[in-house]
PDB file of all heavy atoms in Angstrom:
ATOM      1  N   GLN A   1      66.395  99.347 151.335  1.00 89.00           N
ATOM      2  CA  GLN A   1      67.058  98.026 151.254  1.00 89.00           C
ATOM      3  C   GLN A   1      67.636  97.869 149.761  1.00 89.00           C
ATOM      4  O   GLN A   1      68.748  97.348 149.637  1.00 89.00           O
ATOM      5  CB  GLN A   1      66.106  96.870 151.586  1.00 89.00           C
ATOM      6  CG  GLN A   1      66.850  95.539 151.725  1.00 89.00           C
ATOM      7  CD  GLN A   1      67.699  95.436 152.967  1.00 89.00           C
ATOM      8  OE1 GLN A   1      67.428  96.142 153.950  1.00 89.00           O
ATOM      9  NE2 GLN A   1      68.646  94.612 152.945  1.00 89.00           N
ATOM     10  N   LEU A   2      66.894  98.288 148.806  1.00 90.00           N
ATOM     11  CA  LEU A   2      67.384  98.190 147.508  1.00 90.00           C
ATOM     12  C   LEU A   2      68.586  99.070 147.287  1.00 90.00           C
ATOM     13  O   LEU A   2      69.566  98.681 146.596  1.00 90.00           O
ATOM     14  CB  LEU A   2      66.260  98.605 146.463  1.00 90.00           C
ATOM     15  CG  LEU A   2      66.522  98.495 145.027  1.00 90.00           C
ATOM     16  CD1 LEU A   2      66.914  97.051 144.599  1.00 90.00           C
ATOM     17  CD2 LEU A   2      65.300  98.859 144.159  1.00 90.00           C
ATOM     18  N   ALA A   3      68.576 100.251 147.821  1.00 92.00           N
ATOM     19  CA  ALA A   3      69.728 101.185 147.734  1.00 92.00           C
ATOM     20  C   ALA A   3      70.940 100.577 148.416  1.00 92.00           C
ATOM     21  O   ALA A   3      72.104 100.651 147.854  1.00 92.00           O
ATOM     22  CB  ALA A   3      69.438 102.492 148.343  1.00 92.00           C
ATOM     23  N   LEU A   4      70.746  99.869 149.527  1.00 94.00           N
ATOM     24  CA  LEU A   4      71.860  99.200 150.173  1.00 94.00           C
ATOM     25  C   LEU A   4      72.415  98.081 149.332  1.00 94.00           C
ATOM     26  O   LEU A   4      73.645  97.894 149.228  1.00 94.00           O
ATOM     27  CB  LEU A   4      71.375  98.655 151.511  1.00 94.00           C
ATOM     28  CG  LEU A   4      71.250  99.561 152.678  1.00 94.00           C
ATOM     29  CD1 LEU A   4      70.478  99.002 153.829  1.00 94.00           C
ATOM     30  CD2 LEU A   4      72.643 100.135 153.146  1.00 94.00           C
ATOM     31  N   GLU A   5      71.562  97.367 148.674  1.00 93.00           N
ATOM     32  CA  GLU A   5      72.003  96.251 147.745  1.00 93.00           C
ATOM     33  C   GLU A   5      72.812  96.844 146.570  1.00 93.00           C
ATOM     34  O   GLU A   5      73.806  96.298 146.217  1.00 93.00           O
ATOM     35  CB  GLU A   5      70.795  95.494 147.218  1.00 93.00           C
ATOM     36  CG  GLU A   5      70.132  94.654 148.237  1.00 93.00           C
ATOM     37  CD  GLU A   5      68.788  93.957 147.753  1.00 93.00           C
ATOM     38  OE1 GLU A   5      68.611  93.985 146.547  1.00 93.00           O
ATOM     39  OE2 GLU A   5      68.064  93.527 148.591  1.00 93.00           O
ATOM     40  N   ARG A   6      72.336  97.985 146.044  1.00 94.00           N
ATOM     41  CA  ARG A   6      73.066  98.608 144.938  1.00 94.00           C
ATOM     42  C   ARG A   6      74.408  99.180 145.364  1.00 94.00           C
ATOM     43  O   ARG A   6      75.372  99.137 144.682  1.00 94.00           O
ATOM     44  CB  ARG A   6      72.211  99.697 144.339  1.00 94.00           C
ATOM     45  CG  ARG A   6      71.013  99.214 143.586  1.00 94.00           C
ATOM     46  CD  ARG A   6      71.287  98.174 142.559  1.00 94.00           C
ATOM     47  NE  ARG A   6      70.095  97.783 141.806  1.00 94.00           N
ATOM     48  CZ  ARG A   6      69.413  96.683 142.086  1.00 94.00           C
ATOM     49  NH1 ARG A   6      69.785  95.846 143.042  1.00 94.00           N
ATOM     50  NH2 ARG A   6      68.366  96.361 141.409  1.00 94.00           N
ATOM     51  N   ALA A   7      74.436  99.643 146.616  1.00 96.00           N
ATOM     52  CA  ALA A   7      75.688 100.172 147.221  1.00 96.00           C
ATOM     53  C   ALA A   7      76.710  99.023 147.383  1.00 96.00           C
ATOM     54  O   ALA A   7      77.881  99.187 146.999  1.00 96.00           O
ATOM     55  CB  ALA A   7      75.432 100.786 148.584  1.00 96.00           C
ATOM     56  N   VAL A   8      76.193  97.836 147.803  1.00 96.00           N
ATOM     57  CA  VAL A   8      77.166  96.692 147.987  1.00 96.00           C
ATOM     58  C   VAL A   8      77.603  96.285 146.547  1.00 96.00           C
ATOM     59  O   VAL A   8      78.858  96.004 146.329  1.00 96.00           O
ATOM     60  CB  VAL A   8      76.411  95.546 148.645  1.00 96.00           C
ATOM     61  CG1 VAL A   8      77.227  94.269 148.523  1.00 96.00           C
ATOM     62  CG2 VAL A   8      76.138  95.826 150.116  1.00 96.00           C
ATOM     63  N   SER A   9      76.708  96.244 145.606  1.00 95.00           N
ATOM     64  CA  SER A   9      77.051  95.909 144.296  1.00 95.00           C
ATOM     65  C   SER A   9      78.044  96.903 143.588  1.00 95.00           C
ATOM     66  O   SER A   9      79.073  96.509 143.011  1.00 95.00           O
ATOM     67  CB  SER A   9      75.844  95.807 143.325  1.00 95.00           C
ATOM     68  OG  SER A   9      76.128  95.583 142.008  1.00 95.00           O
ATOM     69  N   GLY A  10      77.821  98.153 143.822  1.00 96.00           N
ATOM     70  CA  GLY A  10      78.697  99.227 143.272  1.00 96.00           C
ATOM     71  C   GLY A  10      80.080  99.128 143.983  1.00 96.00           C
ATOM     72  O   GLY A  10      81.070  99.305 143.224  1.00 96.00           O
ATOM     73  N   ALA A  11      80.056  98.873 145.247  1.00 97.00           N
ATOM     74  CA  ALA A  11      81.339  98.739 145.918  1.00 97.00           C
ATOM     75  C   ALA A  11      82.160  97.550 145.377  1.00 97.00           C
ATOM     76  O   ALA A  11      83.359  97.597 145.296  1.00 97.00           O
ATOM     77  CB  ALA A  11      81.144  98.656 147.435  1.00 97.00           C
ATOM     78  N   ALA A  12      81.454  96.479 145.140  1.00 97.00           N
ATOM     79  CA  ALA A  12      82.094  95.272 144.561  1.00 97.00           C
ATOM     80  C   ALA A  12      82.696  95.575 143.211  1.00 97.00           C
ATOM     81  O   ALA A  12      83.885  95.244 142.919  1.00 97.00           O
ATOM     82  CB  ALA A  12      81.134  94.119 144.489  1.00 97.00           C
ATOM     83  N   GLN A  13      81.967  96.284 142.357  1.00 97.00           N
ATOM     84  CA  GLN A  13      82.451  96.641 141.033  1.00 97.00           C
ATOM     85  C   GLN A  13      83.682  97.587 141.186  1.00 97.00           C
ATOM     86  O   GLN A  13      84.649  97.453 140.480  1.00 97.00           O
ATOM     87  CB  GLN A  13      81.398  97.361 140.222  1.00 97.00           C
ATOM     88  CG  GLN A  13      80.272  96.372 139.760  1.00 97.00           C
ATOM     89  CD  GLN A  13      80.755  95.409 138.766  1.00 97.00           C
ATOM     90  OE1 GLN A  13      81.714  95.658 137.953  1.00 97.00           O
ATOM     91  NE2 GLN A  13      80.086  94.275 138.679  1.00 97.00           N
ATOM     92  N   ARG A  14      83.623  98.527 142.135  1.00 97.00           N
ATOM     93  CA  ARG A  14      84.660  99.471 142.347  1.00 97.00           C
ATOM     94  C   ARG A  14      85.950  98.683 142.899  1.00 97.00           C
ATOM     95  O   ARG A  14      87.031  99.030 142.498  1.00 97.00           O
ATOM     96  CB  ARG A  14      84.244 100.531 143.329  1.00 97.00           C
ATOM     97  CG  ARG A  14      85.423 101.559 143.427  1.00 97.00           C
ATOM     98  CD  ARG A  14      84.934 102.836 144.155  1.00 97.00           C
ATOM     99  NE  ARG A  14      85.929 103.903 143.962  1.00 97.00           N
ATOM    100  CZ  ARG A  14      86.578 104.575 144.939  1.00 97.00           C
ATOM    101  NH1 ARG A  14      86.253 104.338 146.203  1.00 97.00           N
ATOM    102  NH2 ARG A  14      87.481 105.459 144.670  1.00 97.00           N
ATOM    103  N   ASN A  15      85.677  97.752 143.727  1.00 97.00           N
ATOM    104  CA  ASN A  15      86.782  96.892 144.216  1.00 97.00           C
ATOM    105  C   ASN A  15      87.521  96.220 143.085  1.00 97.00           C
ATOM    106  O   ASN A  15      88.802  96.222 143.078  1.00 97.00           O
ATOM    107  CB  ASN A  15      86.274  95.919 145.237  1.00 97.00           C
ATOM    108  CG  ASN A  15      87.374  95.159 145.884  1.00 97.00           C
ATOM    109  OD1 ASN A  15      88.087  95.830 146.744  1.00 97.00           O
ATOM    110  ND2 ASN A  15      87.514  93.903 145.638  1.00 97.00           N
ATOM    111  N   THR A  16      86.729  95.709 142.144  1.00 97.00           N
ATOM    112  CA  THR A  16      87.419  94.998 141.028  1.00 97.00           C
ATOM    113  C   THR A  16      88.174  95.979 140.192  1.00 97.00           C
ATOM    114  O   THR A  16      89.289  95.689 139.746  1.00 97.00           O
ATOM    115  CB  THR A  16      86.298  94.339 140.142  1.00 97.00           C
ATOM    116  OG1 THR A  16      85.561  93.394 140.941  1.00 97.00           O
ATOM    117  CG2 THR A  16      86.862  93.705 138.878  1.00 97.00           C
ATOM    118  N   ALA A  17      87.619  97.248 140.009  1.00 97.00           N
ATOM    119  CA  ALA A  17      88.356  98.221 139.229  1.00 97.00           C
ATOM    120  C   ALA A  17      89.626  98.647 139.885  1.00 97.00           C
ATOM    121  O   ALA A  17      90.696  98.713 139.245  1.00 97.00           O
ATOM    122  CB  ALA A  17      87.457  99.405 138.898  1.00 97.00           C
ATOM    123  N   LEU A  18      89.573  98.884 141.229  1.00 97.00           N
ATOM    124  CA  LEU A  18      90.770  99.289 141.971  1.00 97.00           C
ATOM    125  C   LEU A  18      91.811  98.194 141.980  1.00 97.00           C
ATOM    126  O   LEU A  18      93.011  98.483 141.880  1.00 97.00           O
ATOM    127  CB  LEU A  18      90.319  99.773 143.328  1.00 97.00           C
ATOM    128  CG  LEU A  18      89.400 100.927 143.469  1.00 97.00           C
ATOM    129  CD1 LEU A  18      88.963 101.190 144.933  1.00 97.00           C
ATOM    130  CD2 LEU A  18      90.051 102.211 142.878  1.00 97.00           C
ATOM    131  N   ALA A  19      91.412  96.975 142.101  1.00 97.00           N
ATOM    132  CA  ALA A  19      92.303  95.868 142.099  1.00 97.00           C
ATOM    133  C   ALA A  19      93.028  95.754 140.749  1.00 97.00           C
ATOM    134  O   ALA A  19      94.216  95.462 140.652  1.00 97.00           O
ATOM    135  CB  ALA A  19      91.639  94.551 142.504  1.00 97.00           C
ATOM    136  N   SER A  20      92.234  95.931 139.712  1.00 97.00           N
ATOM    137  CA  SER A  20      92.794  95.968 138.361  1.00 97.00           C
ATOM    138  C   SER A  20      93.860  97.073 138.149  1.00 97.00           C
ATOM    139  O   SER A  20      94.908  96.836 137.623  1.00 97.00           O
ATOM    140  CB  SER A  20      91.634  96.085 137.284  1.00 97.00           C
ATOM    141  OG  SER A  20      92.190  96.161 136.052  1.00 97.00           O
ATOM    142  N   ASN A  21      93.521  98.218 138.808  1.00 96.00           N
ATOM    143  CA  ASN A  21      94.463  99.322 138.691  1.00 96.00           C
ATOM    144  C   ASN A  21      95.781  98.915 139.393  1.00 96.00           C
ATOM    145  O   ASN A  21      96.886  99.206 138.825  1.00 96.00           O
ATOM    146  CB  ASN A  21      93.925 100.527 139.383  1.00 96.00           C
ATOM    147  CG  ASN A  21      92.752 101.193 138.615  1.00 96.00           C
ATOM    148  OD1 ASN A  21      92.634 100.970 137.381  1.00 96.00           O
ATOM    149  ND2 ASN A  21      91.980 102.009 139.229  1.00 96.00           N
ATOM    150  N   LEU A  22      95.697  98.290 140.547  1.00 96.00           N
ATOM    151  CA  LEU A  22      96.921  97.893 141.262  1.00 96.00           C
ATOM    152  C   LEU A  22      97.660  96.837 140.443  1.00 96.00           C
ATOM    153  O   LEU A  22      98.912  96.807 140.407  1.00 96.00           O
ATOM    154  CB  LEU A  22      96.526  97.395 142.649  1.00 96.00           C
ATOM    155  CG  LEU A  22      96.236  98.507 143.623  1.00 96.00           C
ATOM    156  CD1 LEU A  22      95.629  97.968 144.935  1.00 96.00           C
ATOM    157  CD2 LEU A  22      97.455  99.406 143.897  1.00 96.00           C
ATOM    158  N   ALA A  23      96.925  95.923 139.856  1.00 96.00           N
ATOM    159  CA  ALA A  23      97.565  94.871 139.035  1.00 96.00           C
ATOM    160  C   ALA A  23      98.289  95.461 137.879  1.00 96.00           C
ATOM    161  O   ALA A  23      99.267  94.832 137.400  1.00 96.00           O
ATOM    162  CB  ALA A  23      96.499  93.847 138.592  1.00 96.00           C
ATOM    163  N   ASN A  24      97.937  96.574 137.416  1.00 95.00           N
ATOM    164  CA  ASN A  24      98.572  97.204 136.231  1.00 95.00           C
ATOM    165  C   ASN A  24      99.481  98.417 136.622  1.00 95.00           C
ATOM    166  O   ASN A  24      99.818  99.192 135.810  1.00 95.00           O
ATOM    167  CB  ASN A  24      97.500  97.731 135.274  1.00 95.00           C
ATOM    168  CG  ASN A  24      96.874  96.612 134.510  1.00 95.00           C
ATOM    169  OD1 ASN A  24      97.442  96.020 133.661  1.00 95.00           O
ATOM    170  ND2 ASN A  24      95.587  96.333 134.798  1.00 95.00           N
ATOM    171  N   ALA A  25      99.852  98.425 137.897  1.00 91.00           N
ATOM    172  CA  ALA A  25     100.647  99.489 138.375  1.00 91.00           C
ATOM    173  C   ALA A  25     101.975  99.721 137.639  1.00 91.00           C
ATOM    174  O   ALA A  25     102.439 100.798 137.486  1.00 91.00           O
ATOM    175  CB  ALA A  25     100.972  99.268 139.889  1.00 91.00           C
ATOM    176  N   ASN A  26     102.510  98.694 137.080  1.00 92.00           N
ATOM    177  CA  ASN A  26     103.784  98.767 136.364  1.00 92.00           C
ATOM    178  C   ASN A  26     103.660  98.754 134.853  1.00 92.00           C
ATOM    179  O   ASN A  26     104.584  98.587 134.151  1.00 92.00           O
ATOM    180  CB  ASN A  26     104.760  97.668 136.840  1.00 92.00           C
ATOM    181  CG  ASN A  26     105.203  97.877 138.289  1.00 92.00           C
ATOM    182  OD1 ASN A  26     105.412  99.057 138.670  1.00 92.00           O
ATOM    183  ND2 ASN A  26     105.242  96.820 139.056  1.00 92.00           N
ATOM    184  N   THR A  27     102.457  98.854 134.378  1.00 94.00           N
ATOM    185  CA  THR A  27     102.160  98.855 132.998  1.00 94.00           C
ATOM    186  C   THR A  27     102.330 100.335 132.444  1.00 94.00           C
ATOM    187  O   THR A  27     101.545 101.199 132.824  1.00 94.00           O
ATOM    188  CB  THR A  27     100.723  98.321 132.668  1.00 94.00           C
ATOM    189  OG1 THR A  27     100.562  97.091 133.194  1.00 94.00           O
ATOM    190  CG2 THR A  27     100.441  98.366 131.137  1.00 94.00           C
ATOM    191  N   PRO A  28     103.280 100.465 131.573  1.00 93.00           N
ATOM    192  CA  PRO A  28     103.580 101.835 131.001  1.00 93.00           C
ATOM    193  C   PRO A  28     102.349 102.368 130.311  1.00 93.00           C
ATOM    194  O   PRO A  28     101.635 101.620 129.565  1.00 93.00           O
ATOM    195  CB  PRO A  28     104.700 101.616 130.006  1.00 93.00           C
ATOM    196  CG  PRO A  28     105.374 100.392 130.440  1.00 93.00           C
ATOM    197  CD  PRO A  28     104.305  99.497 131.071  1.00 93.00           C
TER     198      PRO A  28
END
């Protein structure tokens, strides 16, 4: 259960990072 909680947390952090990447898609 703790590993599942960390997986959800890690996926949330990764989601934020990937969304940030997309937001900066046109940043030279």
